[in-house]
DNA sequence: CCAAAAGTGTTGGGTGTACACCCATGC
DNA sequence: GCATGGGTGTACACCCAACACTTTTGG
């Protein structure tokens, strides 16, 4: 390291940005907030904010998630998650069936994604942003909190197009592409999610606490944008030890023959992995 | 985002730390520098330094690598690498055989690893460090540069032990575990390298520009710490299109029957991946 | 009865593993 | 000749893709 002289180096602002993904009506969606002030006023952006002097990066991400979106997962986030054990925490918590939660949010997943520090990424000053990735089940519409003028779940496909969200429904006023370099951050987050569900059990983070094999399959299909064979998928996931734990109950909420309900098991890594079909 | 008032947030220092890995005499080694001043004076640490106001994070990592260690890879690092194309750059550059370099350093690989921001990770002030991972071929002993009092290649196994480098050779004065949280950063970097050579062609970044299949196999064996079947390994790597390109030459530098020489091909992803044996 | 979704059985092809075996050099 | 490492052939097991078929509900 060079000689230590803090005053010789101009200050950096450090923020966290959040790529919050969920699956809604068969499509992968990301949480977006509308910016209330310049720069990029009126444009959609990823939720995020400044890191406080006394908090860890992951704590800052969890706090921002709760502040700006009203999301208050009771066990996996926003509280006292031990750092660098988020994954194990999110997995193991679903194993205790004695939680007196009527409709509480099951274990969402939070992990660091990457850090973006281009000198010109924010026109106001030098900002280094540590992006985090959150995988959440399908939630009721988020209520705006903090200073975000509005919050919505936006399908990721239009946002990832090369020239902004051109797939806007008629009558919905679109505001151009995402602010700052957030389109790139979102793309990195989506790519991470797509590859991580191949070799880990993280797809269950998109599901409610109890779910069917078919619902889990629709998660894979939405995230990957492909169709999977229901029979082989069923054999695969039920045959991987520790991936799914049957609860004994059944449901017909998808129609057809009643389906077994499962919870996420303790396994976090999938051997062999789920194979993503060629695109 | 909350209302914007830069002065309301105390400044963060932003640094880059480097996990530089290579394979030397059948062992995975990391570059370590001895700290010349407090805190942790005399202890070994990862190379690193402050990000300058006008440079990108990846540029800062490349500059620090050159400054502190004397490493001057001519094509892949330290110069005008386009950000977020490092991998393609490192791969494609080996395809132009017309470089007039007598013994130049082939394409080392540089990528962002993770960011570490625990409020107490540096006792002096709040420092957020963006760690980068470098995979380099076996190089001549690095010459110290900058203010590092000494530099060495240290086998990673002793450094990763739970209680510091206890595997020191007799007579070599050891200085306890790595400074700051660098043991954890190194562990994350090693784990990233171990998993990435499974599904990418990055193991060639540890090899000289021309190498044999056996040399590549010894890279895998050193990084994973396992023994691989030479026959199946040979079939596997030569059968993956785009992974290896024969140069036509042969060598007997490993003894035995002359072996074909290869360069890294254009493929960056391996389908199917190299399978790491159960440990 | 029919549609829809959940599950089970079976089969063929591809791929990894283990290991026998031959090849070409240096000493 | 012999040791050393390079390279090929082959048999077996396993896994996955494809698809026929049965089960259990709602309308």
């Amino acid at each position: 390291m060079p000689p230590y002289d803090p005053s010789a180096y101009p200050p950096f602002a450090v923020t966290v940005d959040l790529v919050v993904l969920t699956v809604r009506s068969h499509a992968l969606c990301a949480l977006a907030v509308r910016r209330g002030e310049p720069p990029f006023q009126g444009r959609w952006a990823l939720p995020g904010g400044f890191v406080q002097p006394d908090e860890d990066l992951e704590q800052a991400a969890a706090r921002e998630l709760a502040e700006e979106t009203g999301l208050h997962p009771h066990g996996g986030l926003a509280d006292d998650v031990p750092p660098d054990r988020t994954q194990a925490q999110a997995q193991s918590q679903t194993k205790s069936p004695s939680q007196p939660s009527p409709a509480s949010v099951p274990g969402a997943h939070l992990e660091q994604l990457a850090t973006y520090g281009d000198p010109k990424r924010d026109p106001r000053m030098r900002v280094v942003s540590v992006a985090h990735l959150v995988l959440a089940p399908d939630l009721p519409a988020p209520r705006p909190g903090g200073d975000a003028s509005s919050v919505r779940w936006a399908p990721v496909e239009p946002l990832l197009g090369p020239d902004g969200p051109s797939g806007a429904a008629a009558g919905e006023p679109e505001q151009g592409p995402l602010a700052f370099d957030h389109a790139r951050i979102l793309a990195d987050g989506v790519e991470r999610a797509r590859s991580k569900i191949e070799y880990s059990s993280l797809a269950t983070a998109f599901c409610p606490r109890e779910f069917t094999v078919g619902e889990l399959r629709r998660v894979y299909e939405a995230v990957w944008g492909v169709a999977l064979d229901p029979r082989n998928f069923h054999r695969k996931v039920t045959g991987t030890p520790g991936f799914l734990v049957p609860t004994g109950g059944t449901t017909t909420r998808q129609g057809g023959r009643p389906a077994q309900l499962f919870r996420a098991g303790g396994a976090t890594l999938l051997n062999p992995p789920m194979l993503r079909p060629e695109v």
Side-chain angles (χ1 to χ4, degrees), chain A:
Chain A
M1 276 202 186
Y4 188 70
D5 177 9
S7 64
Y9 298 94
F12 288 66
V14 176
T15 63
V16 289
D17 284 322
L18 297 176
V19 177
V20 188
L21 300 179
T22 196
V23 174
R24 286 171 70 86
S25 59
H26 234 268
L28 183 62
C29 296
L31 202 59
V33 302
R34 194 186 292 273
R35 287 186 56 80
E37 50 189 69
F40 301 101
Q41 185 168 20
R43 289 263 283 278
W44 292 98
L46 300 178
F50 290 90
V51 177
Q52 303 291 349
D54 58 346
E55 66 185 355
D56 192 9
L57 300 173
E58 187 168 319
Q59 288 169 23
R63 177 183 51 74
E64 286 291 337
L65 181 65
E67 272 182 19
E68 288 211 48
T69 68
L71 270 172
H72 279 284
H74 70 290
L77 288 177
D79 275 321
D80 45 352
V81 178
D84 58 89
R85 288 200 61 253
T86 312
Q87 184 163 347
Q89 173 85 0
Q91 298 293 342
S92 63
Q93 93 186 14
T94 59
K95 287 196 301 184
S96 65
S98 59
Q99 290 177 109
S101 47
S104 60
V105 175
H109 173 78
L110 169 67
E111 68 176 44
Q112 194 185 108
L113 177 58
T115 300
Y116 301 83
D118 187 294
K120 294 188 178 62
R121 63 180 296 277
D122 189 314
R124 296 166 297 185
M125 65 176 294
R126 184 70 193 265
V127 178
V128 169
S129 180
V130 184
H132 286 71
L133 178 64
V134 177
L135 309 186
D138 192 1
L139 300 164
R143 57 161 218 268
D147 64 316
S149 61
S150 64
V151 187
R152 69 158 185 166
W153 290 110
V156 297
E157 278 311 331
L159 294 177
L160 293 178
D163 41 19
S166 56
E172 173 105 6
E174 278 301 338
Q175 309 296 333
L178 288 176
F180 304 107
D181 53 358
H182 287 186
R184 174 156 155 57
I185 299 176
L186 175 63
D188 290 348
V190 169
E191 182 49 39
R192 175 90 135 250
R194 282 180 175 154
S195 61
K196 252 196 146 164
I197 64 173
E198 283 187 51
Y199 58 90
S200 80
S201 62
L202 272 184
T204 58
F206 286 117
C207 294
R209 198 165 60 105
E210 298 197 348
F211 53 89
T212 69
V213 172
E215 288 163 348
L216 182 63
R217 175 173 49 82
R218 278 178 277 276
V219 164
Y220 274 92
E221 291 177 332
V223 176
W224 284 345
V226 298
L228 301 175
D229 186 300
R231 292 88 59 138
N232 293 330
F233 182 89
H234 186 278
R235 216 191 331 266
K236 177 89 176 192
V237 295
T238 55
T240 301
F243 191 8
L244 299 183
V245 177
T247 68
T250 62
T251 181
T252 60
R253 61 188 174 218
Q254 302 287 344
R257 168 175 166 179
Q260 272 188 282
L261 285 170
F262 294 89
R263 293 208 196 96
T268 63
L269 258 44
L270 265 38
N271 292 80
M274 291 293 304
L275 290 190
R276 168 157 44 162
E278 319 287 322
V279 182

